[in-house]
Amino acid sequence: QSRTNLCIDTSKGQFGPYAGQFFVGEFTQSKIGRVFLEKVDGEYQGACFPFLEGFPSAVMSLAFGEEGTLFAGMTNRGWSSIGGGSYGLQRIHWTGKTPFELLAMRAKPDGFELEFTREVDPAGAREVTNYHISSYTYPLHASYGGEEILTEPLEIRQAIVSKNGRRVRLVTGERRCYFVYELHYETIRSASGERPWHDRAYYTLNRVPSPETGG
């Protein structure tokens, strides 16, 4: 609802598998999101993922320490946030265990490629009914906020699992540029049967890669 400060994971693996990705604070929801970016035809685009929630106040500032931990500075400045505290400071460190979830979501000429942090169960990952994608946009106006509009489901025609079990290629129907694509994958499991830590992603598609550059 109200994104705040962002920072890049410069820990080189000390904070888990997210090196080079963005973390973004959120005021109203008192949480932190994660962002993967890629460049297509000279323009950046990419996906947002949930990361951590339940902070005691609005997350206003983020910074990585030299030891690879993430500091979250909080204050609601007297405004409304789910975390009711007036202020706070927390340090977040990686436990050493890699959670099972989407690491990256990439646009491809014929759909999307999903990269997971660990190997998926191939039987479930090949089932197209285990993924749900819809697209929508927002009204462009001067007032604050707005509901999703022009919502449409996206047909998923095929799900192809890579040899290493970490990537799934979703072949889809035709996509619309300048729309957000909301993906849900809550029934996908890891090779060891683990549920995903988070089960959704939001990709903003500005450009569809060409077959020559998108692979």
Side-chain angles (χ1 to χ4, degrees):
Q1 285 181 284
S2 304
R3 295 298 183 183
T4 58
N5 178 239
L6 59 84
C7 68
I8 301 175
D9 180 359
T10 57
S11 69
K12 298 180 180 179
Q14 290 180 289
F15 196 68
Y18 312 111
Q21 297 192 5
F22 286 86
F23 291 94
V24 186
E26 215 287 330
F27 190 100
T28 306
Q29 300 294 327
S30 301
K31 60 186 180 183
I32 298 174
R34 177 171 60 88
V35 179
F36 163 80
L37 291 180
E38 62 176 346
K39 186 178 283 188
V40 178
D41 291 338
E43 183 171 347
Y44 280 108
Q45 60 188 37
C48 296
F49 310 89
F51 188 63
L52 290 176
E53 59 184 19
F55 287 90
S57 187
V59 180
M60 289 292 293
S61 183
L62 296 171
F64 273 95
E66 292 182 358
E67 72 288 359
T69 56
L70 178 63
F71 289 89
M74 293 164 274
T75 176
N76 63 21
R77 304 175 65 184
W79 297 340
S80 176
S81 64
I82 288 179
S86 298
Y87 55 86
L89 177 65
Q90 291 192 0
R91 183 173 69 174
I92 304 147
H93 66 91
W94 181 38
T95 63
K97 180 182 178 182
T98 299
F100 173 64
E101 64 173 340
L102 266 186
L103 178 62
M105 181 176 179
R106 298 178 176 88
K108 294 296 180 181
D110 57 355
F112 294 100
E113 181 187 73
L114 312 180
E115 180 183 356
F116 289 85
T117 55
R118 303 216 309 269
E119 291 182 32
V120 299
D121 169 40
R126 292 191 188 102
E127 291 291 333
V128 297
T129 56
N130 285 334
Y131 308 91
H132 302 278
I133 303 178
S134 60
S135 64
Y136 49 81
T137 188
Y138 295 93
L140 180 62
H141 54 199
S143 59
Y144 186 82
E147 300 296 324
E148 293 111 4
I149 61 173
L150 304 177
T151 301
E152 290 184 3
L154 179 66
E155 178 190 9
I156 303 174
R157 298 171 178 170
Q158 192 176 8
I160 306 167
V161 181
S162 66
K163 291 182 180 180
N164 67 4
R166 290 270 309 277
R167 299 182 184 227
V168 179
R169 183 76 166 258
L170 298 181
V171 179
T172 71
E174 186 175 352
R175 290 159 296 162
R176 301 178 289 178
C177 290
Y178 307 112
F179 278 72
V180 177
Y181 284 80
E182 181 174 332
L183 164 72
H184 289 262
Y185 60 98
E186 57 268 14
T187 55
I188 298 299
R189 298 290 181 265
S190 71
S192 59
E194 186 177 357
R195 295 174 178 268
W197 185 31
H198 301 107
D199 57 17
R200 61 192 188 277
Y202 305 84
Y203 191 101
T204 299
L205 185 72
N206 296 324
R207 298 281 189 272
V208 174
S210 65
E212 291 76 18
T213 61

